Amino acid sequence: MKVVKLEDILGTEQDVQAENGNWVSRRLILKKDNMGYSVHDTVIKAGTETHIWYQNHLEAVYCIEGDGEVETLKDGKVYKITPGTLYALDEHDEHLLRGGSEDMRVVCVFNPPISGKEVHDENGVYPVDDE
């Protein structure tokens, strides 16, 4: 059994901040944990916009605090995100993630799992980790 506390992740290499300052991702479960998925406690900063396109991963995102919105680029649909809302990028959806009037805290699950070393490339993509 594995038990992870957020307080034990803070300030470690698993506490990752975006270079542009738009988000902070606390990576709780990673590929090395052999669960078949990874779990992240992420804060999206208020008033920010981040282009993301997970071509190699599926992601489910559950909002637990704050507000924001996600816009799918293929059809221009905008979805309001508030506590209790889950959205699933089940088609490798290219999207814009926007922080709302306050920081938005979400729990993210990735399949396949990420190793924790990935950074978004110029297209908002995490590469596949073949290790």
Side-chain angles (χ1 to χ4, degrees), residues 93-113:
D93 309 87
E94 184 176 11
H95 61 287
L96 296 173
L97 181 58
R98 298 183 184 107
S101 60
E102 57 184 306
D103 288 354
M104 180 172 57
R105 185 172 173 206
V106 295
V107 175
C108 309
V109 178
F110 283 87
N111 181 19

Side-chain angles (χ1 to χ4, degrees), residues 4-12 15 26 28 41 105:
V4 180
K5 293 184 179 186
L6 178 60
E7 64 191 49
D8 295 334
I9 298 296
L10 299 176
T12 72
D15 185 5
R26 289 80 63 104
L28 303 168
D41 181 317
R105 185 172 173 206

